[in-house]
Amino acid sequence: MNLLHIASGEANRDIFNPIFRSEIARFGELRIVEDGSSLSGDERTALIRGCDVLLTGWGAAPVSAAVASEPGTLRYVCHITGEMRRTVPIEIIDAGIPVTNWGDTPASGVAEGAMALLLGAVKEIHLRVKHIERGGWGLDPATHGGTLEGLNVGIYGFGAIGRRFVDLLRPFGSTIRIFDPFAAGLPDDCLRVSSLEELFDTSEAIVIHAALCDATAGSVTAGLLAKLPDHGVVVNTARGGIIDQDALFAELESGRLRAGLDVLDPDSLPEDHPARGWENLILTGHHIENPWPLDGRPATALTPMQRVCVENLRRFEAGEPLKFTMDRTRYLLST
């Protein structure tokens, strides 16, 4: 097979490391074109039409919708990472060209991160560390603390990450409510609610696992946040754009709510932003799911997302069904 990756700038080294390139070589010749943003759209399209398999992912140059009507020899788009809307247009899927992504690969890492943020916010680890660093010791138990046992936890979104999060939360004895109109079935120990209003009305902590799409963008409004009780908790490891960030920051600045946020909108803060110093807010910079650090050592094994890509290339070569194939419905519900 002729395999192609067009990077906007340099190819992502976390993906296209030597061990991954070696595995890919088993299926054919991989051509990596860097600085693809300097090429015209027509030049990128011509390159894509001349390959059998296009590999996309973090840092990839966007694919033109024109490829859908005239794909040339292109037979498969393997998107190695998750979010694809800015890279692979829906016209490619509508044209019947198979497109896959990493599926449920990040579920465990992100769910663990959400659990860490929920525990950290409820137990106020961030505040306690700062209090002790300033020379203090115990905090007033009447105004600080909490436990997951019996806590009303509302989960917004019940995809692969949401399901894994429920598995982690279950042993703590929380009351779990879920809002996801697209989830076909829920575990017996979870309560389905019919609206976000009901979820916020009945929850002391909200954990967001929904994808960012037209239906979810800005859906966590000031009015919903106001429904949470004093000391309520908001955890977001999904996408910052789901929350009205100004409204949430107003609640946090007043001290009424607590939060653990791995994602923001935009996904960073100016160095002098006051939110960096709020003791009721834990920020983790969109890296809460990072794997064990390599400390600069070369990778000795494929990462989960690389394994999914290699397995799908094997399946494609063998004519077997691909894993995590995108269709129009899943694409529109995905970030």
Side-chain angles (χ1 to χ4, degrees):
M1 291 187 288
N2 292 318
L3 302 105
L4 173 69
H5 173 70
I6 304 177
S8 290
E10 292 186 0
N12 187 288
R13 301 299 183 243
D14 291 332
I15 299 176
F16 293 97
N17 55 22
I19 191 169
F20 181 61
R21 293 192 189 205
S22 175
E23 286 291 324
I24 293 296
R26 297 193 290 115
F27 302 102
E29 180 182 354
L30 170 62
R31 180 183 179 189
I32 295 179
V33 177
E34 297 190 314
D35 199 21
S37 60
S38 67
L39 302 176
S40 69
D42 288 344
E43 288 173 322
R44 290 199 301 270
T45 297
L47 289 172
I48 293 170
R49 286 172 174 158
C51 73
D52 299 311
V53 177
L54 179 67
L55 302 179
T56 57
W58 295 327
V63 179
S64 169
V67 173
S69 57
E70 296 182 30
T73 60
L74 177 68
R75 294 180 291 142
Y76 170 37
V77 178
C78 182
H79 191 75
I80 303 166
T81 53
E83 178 183 358
M84 67 168 58
R85 286 195 181 200
R86 289 180 291 186
T87 307
V88 182
I90 195 170
E91 287 84 357
I92 300 294
I93 293 167
D94 289 342
I97 299 170
V99 178
T100 60
N101 75 344
W102 65 8
D104 62 6
T105 295
S108 289
V110 177
E112 289 169 7
M115 178 57 69
L117 289 172
L118 178 61
L119 280 168
V122 168
K123 297 299 184 183
E124 297 181 299
I125 300 299
H126 186 55
L127 169 59
R128 293 174 190 275
V129 168
K130 286 181 173 292
H131 182 61
I132 290 172
E133 287 176 345
R134 290 193 298 263
W137 196 245
L139 295 171
D140 182 356
T143 56
H144 296 92
T147 177
L148 297 189
E149 184 176 3
L151 188 72
N152 289 297
V153 179
I155 298 174
Y156 180 12
F158 196 61
I161 298 170
R163 292 193 296 271
R164 179 61 181 138
F165 179 78
V166 166
D167 291 340
L168 297 176
L169 180 61
R170 184 175 287 116
F172 289 93
S174 303
T175 298
I176 304 173
R177 293 178 175 85
I178 295 172
F179 173 69
D180 188 336
F182 304 101
L186 300 183
D188 292 339
D189 56 353
C190 296
L191 305 172
R192 184 189 290 274
V193 299
S194 60
S195 66
L196 279 177
E197 287 75 12
E198 184 180 357
L199 189 72
F200 278 75
D201 269 332
T202 55
S203 298
E204 295 157 307
I206 295 289
V207 183
I208 299 173
H209 293 303
L212 178 61
C213 60
D214 291 343
T216 62
S219 57
V220 176
T221 62
L224 291 176
L225 293 169
K227 293 176 179 290
L228 294 175
D230 290 351
H231 310 293
V233 172
V234 176
V235 170
N236 190 7
T237 56
R239 285 292 186 270
I242 295 172
I243 300 177
D244 179 340
Q245 188 162 290
D246 289 341
L248 177 58
F249 277 13
E251 291 276 20
L252 294 171
E253 189 170 23
S254 73
R256 198 182 77 81
L257 297 182
R258 300 176 281 182
L261 305 177
D262 190 49
V263 289
L264 298 171
D265 185 28
D267 210 15
S268 63
L269 280 178
E271 291 183 9
D272 59 350
H273 196 288
R276 291 177 178 266
W278 295 341
E279 295 178 342
N280 56 341
L281 171 61
I282 303 171
L283 294 168
T284 50
H286 208 161
H287 288 291
I288 195 65
E289 82 288 359
N290 277 5
W292 198 270
L294 291 173
D295 295 328
R297 299 185 303 273
T300 58
L302 295 175
T303 63
M305 66 179 177
Q306 290 171 331
R307 289 199 297 271
V308 169
C309 173
V310 170
E311 171 62 12
N312 266 336
L313 289 175
R314 184 199 67 76
R315 288 169 176 253
F316 180 74
E317 185 178 56
E320 299 175 4
L322 301 172
K323 297 179 65 176
F324 310 125
T325 301
M326 277 280 172
D327 58 23
R328 168 175 269 269
T329 299
R330 184 173 168 230
Y331 182 97
L332 293 175
L333 291 175
S334 300
T335 297

